[in-house]
Amino acid sequence: RALLWLGPVYLAGYLGLSGSWVLLALALWLCWGLNRRGKRDRLAAAFALLEDEREAVCRGLAARHLPAWVHFPDVERVEWLNKVLVQAWPYFGTIMEKTFKEVLEPKIRAKSVHLKTCTFTKIHFGEKCPRINGIKAYTKEIDRRQVTLDLQICYIGDCEIHMDISKFNLGVKGVQLYGTLRVILEPLLTDAPFVGAVTLFFMQKPHLEINWAGMSNLLDVPGINVMSDSLIQDFIAARLVLPNRITVPLKKNMNIAHLRFPVPKGVIRVHLLEAENLVQKDNFLGAIRGKSDPYALLRVGTVQHRSKTVSRDLNPIWNETFEFVVHEVPGQDLEVDLYDEDPDKDDFMGSLLIGLVDVMNDRTVDEWFPLSKTTSGHLHLKLEWLSLVNNQEKLHEDKKGLSTAILIVYLDSAFNLPKNHFEYSNGECGTKKIKNNKYLKKMEREPSSFVLLTVGNKTHKSKTCNFSKDPTWGQAFTFFVHSAHSQSLHIEIKDKERDSALGTSVVCLSHLLKDPNMTLDQRFQLDHSSSDSFIKMKLVLRALNVEEPDPQRVKAGVSASKPGPVRVTEKAGNQQKFVSPQVSKAPPTSKDSAAPESLPKKDGGEDLDSKDSSAAPVPSETVSGLNEAEGKQNPEHGPPSALPSGAAAVPTLPVLQEMRLAPSVTSLGSLPSSCFELSSSNLDIHNGTEVPLGEIQLTVRYASIRQSLVVLVNSCRNLVPSSNRGVDPYVRIYLLPDRRWTSRKKTSVKKKTLNPQYDEKFEFFESLENIKKRTLDIAVKNSRPFISQERKELGKVRIDLSQEDLIKGFAQW
C-alpha cells in the first residue's frame, strides 16, 4: 500500500512535472480527508444524541442541538408519535425498497442511454427512523376550515443505498436532515375521512448532509462538495420549499388546484432607507481602521434581493425599495443582513429579523432597528403591508414606478405540441432545414419542453417535461405589475435540445379587467405552432392595497401615537408622589430612544376619564437625553385616556402594577414599546439578610422582533447609606454567566441621594432560548473615591429568567 501511495510521486518525477503539483495534490487529499472525518464525526455525534437524548442534554450540548420544545412553550413534545414511527419504520423501509426497484430504477434508465445499465445493488433504510423534535399547531391565526402544523423534522439515518452504473459503484451511507415541515390539513369535512387533502412543504431550505460511498466520495473534494450540496438543496427547494408544495387528496373527486396554488397572503414592501454607526471592517496594515463599503441582503423565504454598495461610509443612505410576495403568515419572516464588500471575502456587519405577522397587523412600520450580532449600528426601514384585493378601482398607476398589482400564473399543461420544430423571426415562420439523418431521428422524438413566462423585464422558467407532446407542468409563478392596462404576459414554449420555439402566445392583462374577479381560466391558442396546439393556464390579477390601520390597535413602529401613562416625580423631603398625566399629542421620539419624553403634569381641575379611575400608576420608562429627539409627531391619532392623580400613591410593599397597553409587537424602539400588560410574577428575590437594603424598580421584557432582552432601570428607594457624606449610587447589570467587563451594563451616577431616579434602558442581544437559560445579576453600587474605605456595594438582586414570561414582560420593585 505504501508503494501505491508513492506511485503518483514517482509518476510526477518521471513526467518532469513540478513539485508544486505534488504539493497541490497532497493538499487536496488532506482537505478531502478532513471533510470526510468531519462528516463522520458529526454523524456519530448526531447518533449519540438520537440514542440517548437525556444523557446528551445533560452533557450540555450546544443549544442548536436541543429540540425546540425545550425553548418554546407552544412547541409540544410528541414522544408518542416518535414511538409510532419507530414501530412502523421497518415496514416503510420495505415499501421504499420495492419503490426504488420497480419505479425509480426504470425511470432512471429511461433518462439517458448512458444510464441504461443503472441497477440498485443494495437498498437498506437502516434502523434509525426520522424523529419529530416538536410540533407547533396553529388554530387561531388561520382559517377555521383548516389545521396547520409545524413539524421540527430531524432525520439522522444509517441508510445504505448503492447503485452500479457501467461498473462504477455509487452510493450513500448515512444522511442528516434538519428542517421545519409545515403540514396543512384542509378543508375539514363533516364526513369521513374528515380532511379533504394534506399539503406538505418546508418553510426554509432544510439542512442536508450526505455521507457518500464508493465513487461518490469524489463529491467530498474541496470545491466540488459545496457545489454538489447546493445542487441537491436546490433540487429539493424546487419541489418541497415554499412556494412549492405537495398536495395529496384524501377524498375522491377532490379539486386540489386551489390547495396546491393558493393566492398569496400579501406583499411586503420594504423601503431600505439608511443606516448609522455601522462597525468599521476595513483596516490598513492590520491596525489603522478605515471605513466600510456596506450593502444589504434582504430575504423572504427563497427570494433574495441585494442593495447597491455605498463606498466608504459608516452611515450609508440607500433609499431603495424592494417587494416580496408573502405566501405564509405566520411562518415567513423578513431577514436583513449587512455586509462590507471586499475583493476577497465580504465581512458581516450585523443582521435583523422582522416577523411579518406584526407588519401585517400594523400595516405600516417606520422605525430605526438596532442590528443584532454586532457591537453597534441601527438600520432605518419603512415596511408596508399590501393586501391583495380584486377591486379594479385600486389599479391606479403609481407615479413613483412602484407595483400596483400582482399577477399569479397557474401553468397547467399544453396539448398537441408539434414534433417539427420551427424557428421564427419578425413574426415569420420557416421550417428548419434537415441536414442529416441524426437530426432526422431527433425530429421523430416527442419534444422535451419548458415554458418561459415574461412580464416586463421579469422572466420565469418552468421545469422541463421530457418526451411528451402533452406536457403537464403544474406550477405557479407571480409577477409584479406596474400598469395592468398596458402590460402583457408573453408565453414561449421551447424544446430543451434546440433554441427554436414550439409555440408562443401573448395575453394582454387588460383582458383580465373585463372579468369582475379579474381571473381567466382557459386554453390559449399557441401562435407559430400547429393549428390545434393549446396551452392551459389560469391567470389571477390582484390589486395591491395598503389598508388603514386599526385605530384601537397599539402600533409597533415609531409612528405609533398612543403612549402609555408616564410618571412625574414631585419631591417632598424623602417622599415621592407619582402622577400619571394626560397628553394632548404624541410626544416626539428619537430614533435611538425607546420611550416617550417626560411630559408636563396635567392640571388638577380638568375632568378625568371615569373608566380609568381605578388604574394604578406605572413606572416611568423615559430615557435620559430625549430632549434632543428627532422624531415627528403623528397627528392622526387622538389623545390617550388619562389616569387620575388621586390614585397615585405608591404602595409601601413590593407589588406588581398593571399596565393598560398591549405589548409592542415589533420592537422596543417605539413609543408604546415600554407599555405592556403585567401579570403576577414569582420572582425569587432575597437580599440574603434580615436588614432591608432598599428596593430597585425594574421593567424587563423580551423584544422578539429585535432578538434582545430589554431591561429598564427605573429607580431605587430607601437605600442604606454607606457613609455620613451620603452615597452616589449607580446600577451595574450582568447577564450571567457572562461576567466580562465588555458585556457589563452601567447606569449614570446620581449624586447624594438615597432615592435615585434613572429611567435608563439596556439591551442584551441574544436569542430567546439563550436568554431563558441566563440569570440577570443587578447590583446597586456606590461611586466612592478610589482609596475610600466606604462600602461599595449597596445591594444586589438576581432574577432567574427561565421562570418568567419574557414575551409578556414584568415590572416589579
Side-chain angles (χ1 to χ4, degrees):
R1 181 176 296 180
L3 291 176
L4 288 176
W5 285 116
L6 292 175
V9 180
Y10 171 79
L11 184 63
Y14 180 79
L15 297 176
L17 299 178
S18 171
S20 57
W21 287 99
V22 178
L23 295 177
L24 179 61
L26 182 62
L28 285 174
W29 180 74
L30 291 174
C31 292
W32 173 80
L34 188 63
N35 283 342
R36 295 287 301 162
R37 285 192 296 273
K39 277 192 176 182
R40 284 195 293 267
D41 292 344
R42 288 192 293 272
L43 192 62
F47 276 136
L49 178 63
L50 189 66
E51 291 173 357
D52 194 345
E53 185 180 20
R54 183 185 297 274
E55 171 123 6
V57 171
C58 293
R59 287 180 184 174
L61 290 178
R64 64 186 179 90
H65 291 304
L66 296 179
W69 56 265
V70 175
H71 312 299
F72 306 107
D74 53 352
V75 177
E76 301 178 18
R77 188 178 185 184
V78 283
E79 282 305 307
W80 64 270
L81 183 56
N82 290 320
K83 292 177 181 179
V84 171
L85 289 175
V86 170
Q87 290 293 101
W89 184 246
Y91 302 95
F92 174 80
T94 302
I95 295 173
M96 291 303 298
E97 290 175 16
K98 186 176 180 181
T99 304
F100 269 63
K101 293 293 291 184
E102 298 180 359
V103 179
L104 187 59
E105 187 176 293
K107 285 188 176 182
I108 294 176
R109 290 180 175 181
K111 285 285 183 181
S112 173
V113 179
H114 305 289
L115 299 177
K116 284 187 175 181
T117 59
C118 172
T119 304
F120 284 100
T121 57
K122 183 177 182 180
I123 303 174
H124 178 57
F125 279 81
E127 305 297 329
K128 310 298 181 183
C129 70
R131 180 177 176 81
I132 311 296
N133 283 336
I135 291 182
K136 181 175 182 179
Y138 297 92
T139 55
K140 296 180 180 179
E141 305 93 337
I142 58 177
D143 186 9
R144 290 183 60 86
R145 294 197 63 193
Q146 68 174 213
V147 175
T148 300
L149 305 173
D150 280 349
L151 279 65
Q152 312 270 336
I153 298 288
C154 170
Y155 176 48
I156 306 157
D158 55 347
C159 61
E160 273 193 81
I161 302 175
H162 294 270
M163 62 186 298
D164 286 342
I165 300 177
S166 301
K167 298 183 180 180
F168 291 102
N169 181 264
L170 309 175
V172 172
K173 189 176 182 180
V175 175
Q176 291 190 64
L177 177 70
Y178 306 94
T180 300
L181 181 69
R182 174 157 290 191
V183 180
I184 301 178
L185 309 176
E186 65 172 339
L188 301 181
L189 307 175
T190 56
D191 54 347
F194 307 112
V195 177
V198 178
T199 302
L200 307 170
F201 56 87
F202 282 98
M203 299 296 298
Q204 304 285 349
K205 281 185 180 181
H207 170 77
L208 177 67
E209 191 166 333
I210 300 175
N211 192 23
W212 300 104
M215 290 293 293
S216 304
N217 277 326
L218 294 176
L219 295 177
D220 283 331
V221 173
I224 299 178
N225 62 336
V226 176
M227 183 176 63
S228 62
D229 292 347
S230 63
L231 285 176
I232 295 173
Q233 289 188 351
D234 290 342
F235 179 81
I236 295 175
R239 287 158 177 80
L240 281 174
V241 179
L242 199 68
N244 304 293
R245 305 164 184 249
I246 292 180
T247 302
V248 181
L250 301 181
K251 188 177 177 64
K252 290 183 178 180
N253 302 323
M254 188 73 188
N255 184 13
I256 62 172
H258 68 285
L259 300 179
R260 290 187 61 195
F261 310 112
V263 176
K265 301 296 183 182
V267 171
I268 180 73
R269 181 175 289 163
V270 183
H271 300 272
L272 178 65
L273 302 178
E274 55 184 323
E276 67 171 11
N277 299 328
L278 298 181
V279 293
Q280 298 175 341
K281 290 294 183 178
D282 293 338
N283 58 76
F284 304 98
L285 302 178
I288 304 174
R289 282 287 191 179
K291 294 185 177 181
S292 299
D293 307 317
Y295 68 90
L297 291 179
L298 300 93
R299 283 185 304 277
V300 173
T302 56
V303 180
Q304 176 174 290
H305 292 300
R306 171 176 169 157
S307 72
K308 63 184 179 183
T309 301
V310 180
S311 300
R312 300 183 55 77
D313 196 346
L314 297 178
N315 300 285
I317 298 176
W318 289 287
N319 287 330
E320 294 186 76
T321 302
F322 306 95
E323 293 172 322
F324 298 91
V325 178
V326 182
H327 296 273
E328 285 293 320
V329 175
Q332 289 191 293
D333 298 319
L334 170 64
E335 304 172 57
V336 184
D337 293 328
L338 295 186
Y339 289 91
D340 169 33
E341 187 175 43
D342 287 324
D344 49 356
K345 183 180 179 181
D346 296 345
D347 298 320
F348 178 73
M349 301 180 70
S351 64
L352 189 61
L353 183 67
I354 298 177
L356 296 183
V357 176
D358 305 326
V359 182
M360 181 182 67
N361 294 331
D362 289 343
R363 307 300 179 188
T364 302
V365 175
D366 188 350
E367 185 171 356
W368 282 88
F369 294 94
L371 296 172
S372 59
K373 302 178 183 178
T374 186
T375 55
S376 68
H378 286 73
L379 185 63
H380 189 190
L381 297 176
K382 181 181 178 182
L383 309 173
E384 293 178 307
W385 179 265
L386 307 176
S387 301
L388 306 184
V389 296
N390 58 353
N391 187 357
Q392 298 186 16
E393 296 179 358
K394 302 292 183 180
L395 288 174
H396 57 84
E397 189 165 352
D398 196 303
K399 296 181 180 179
K400 297 180 181 179
L402 299 176
S403 301
T404 59
I406 183 175
L407 175 67
I408 308 160
V409 181
Y410 302 104
L411 179 63
D412 188 351
S413 56
F415 306 94
N416 297 318
L417 293 182
K419 289 184 180 180
N420 297 325
H421 306 282
F422 298 97
E423 60 181 9
Y424 62 92
S425 61
N426 299 324
E428 297 179 358
C429 298
T431 307
K432 190 174 182 69
K433 294 180 179 180
I434 302 174
K435 295 183 178 180
N436 50 41
N437 293 331
K438 183 179 180 182
Y439 188 82
L440 181 61
K441 290 180 181 179
K442 289 186 177 181
M443 292 281 289
E444 296 300 322
R445 279 199 220 152
E446 301 287 347
S448 299
S449 54
F450 63 90
V451 183
L452 296 178
L453 302 158
T454 304
V455 174
N457 58 0
K458 181 66 175 179
T459 299
H460 286 297
K461 180 181 177 181
S462 74
K463 65 182 181 182
T464 301
C465 291
N466 291 317
F467 312 123
S468 175
K469 67 174 184 177
D470 300 319
T472 300
W473 294 284
Q475 290 180 278
F477 305 94
T478 56
F479 298 89
F480 287 106
V481 177
H482 299 278
S483 176
H485 296 85
S486 60
Q487 287 188 282
S488 301
L489 170 66
H490 296 262
I491 304 111
E492 186 177 10
I493 303 179
K494 285 193 169 186
D495 190 343
K496 72 173 184 179
E497 295 184 356
R498 279 161 293 277
D499 293 333
S500 57
L502 301 177
T504 62
S505 182
V506 178
V507 181
C508 295
L509 301 187
S510 57
H511 294 339
L512 280 79
L513 303 180
K514 299 176 183 178
D515 186 272
N517 292 324
M518 296 192 290
T519 302
L520 284 179
D521 188 0
Q522 65 183 50
R523 293 184 179 186
F524 297 89
Q525 174 73 48
L526 290 174
D527 300 326
H528 306 103
S529 186
S530 301
S531 58
D532 57 346
S533 296
F534 296 88
I535 184 170
K536 185 179 179 182
M537 296 184 298
K538 181 180 179 181
L539 309 180
V540 178
L541 187 66
R542 290 292 180 263
L544 302 182
N545 179 46
V546 180
E547 298 181 6
E548 293 296 328
D550 184 1
Q552 301 297 324
R553 173 182 169 79
V554 178
K555 289 194 66 176
V558 291
S559 59
S561 57
K562 191 177 180 182
V566 181
R567 180 181 61 190
V568 176
T569 305
E570 292 181 350
K571 294 186 179 180
N574 290 331
Q575 296 180 351
Q576 295 179 347
K577 182 170 70 175
F578 302 96
V579 181
S580 297
Q582 183 181 17
V583 292
S584 59
K585 290 184 178 180
T589 60
S590 169
K591 61 190 177 183
D592 296 325
S593 65
E597 290 188 20
S598 298
L599 302 175
K601 291 182 294 180
K602 176 178 170 57
D603 294 337
E606 296 185 19
D607 295 334
L608 298 174
D609 190 354
S610 60
K611 293 182 181 179
D612 295 329
S613 59
S614 61
V618 298
S620 170
E621 297 174 3
T622 56
V623 181
S624 59
L626 284 180
N627 294 327
E628 301 177 358
E630 299 176 5
K632 295 182 179 180
Q633 298 181 359
N634 191 341
E636 297 177 0
H637 300 268
S641 301
L643 296 176
S645 59
V650 174
T652 56
L653 295 176
V655 296
L656 291 177
Q657 303 166 347
E658 184 173 356
M659 294 184 177
R660 295 197 167 271
L661 294 182
S664 168
V665 290
T666 298
S667 74
L668 281 171
S670 59
L671 283 179
S673 62
S674 59
C675 305
F676 45 85
E677 295 179 1
L678 299 177
S679 61
S680 299
S681 178
N682 59 348
L683 293 180
D684 186 15
I685 300 177
H686 303 285
N687 56 27
T689 176
E690 297 180 358
V691 180
L693 300 180
E695 294 171 311
I696 182 171
Q697 189 182 50
L698 303 171
T699 304
V700 181
R701 69 157 292 183
Y702 186 80
S704 57
I705 202 63
R706 291 188 174 186
Q707 300 281 304
S708 67
L709 178 72
V710 180
V711 180
L712 294 164
V713 180
N714 297 303
S715 59
C716 299
R717 66 185 181 190
N718 303 327
L719 297 178
V720 177
S722 60
S723 67
N724 295 330
R725 72 175 187 87
V727 295
D728 302 330
Y730 68 93
V731 180
R732 184 270 300 149
I733 306 176
Y734 281 124
L735 190 60
L736 300 181
D738 189 359
R739 286 186 174 274
R740 293 177 299 169
W741 182 84
T742 55
S743 61
R744 181 186 65 165
K745 308 294 184 182
K746 176 182 172 184
T747 67
S748 58
V749 178
K750 303 298 180 182
K751 297 290 185 180
K752 304 295 186 293
T753 178
L754 299 178
N755 299 283
Q757 183 82 21
Y758 297 104
D759 296 325
E760 296 186 37
K761 183 193 80 169
F762 303 96
E763 290 189 78
F764 297 88
F765 291 96
E766 291 283 349
S767 61
L768 180 59
E769 53 267 30
N770 288 338
I771 291 292
K772 279 285 189 179
K773 296 183 288 186
R774 311 288 280 273
T775 299
L776 203 59
D777 183 282
I778 300 172
V780 182
K781 296 194 173 186
N782 177 28
S783 180
R784 57 183 176 80
F786 179 68
I787 58 174
S788 173
Q789 299 298 319
E790 301 173 9
R791 187 172 79 244
K792 183 176 182 180
E793 189 168 283
L794 303 179
K796 179 187 291 188
V797 60
R798 285 189 177 179
I799 303 173
D800 185 2
L801 299 179
S802 64
Q803 305 299 319
E804 297 305 318
D805 185 357
L806 298 179
I807 298 295
K808 195 172 185 181
F810 60 87
Q812 185 169 340
W813 281 95

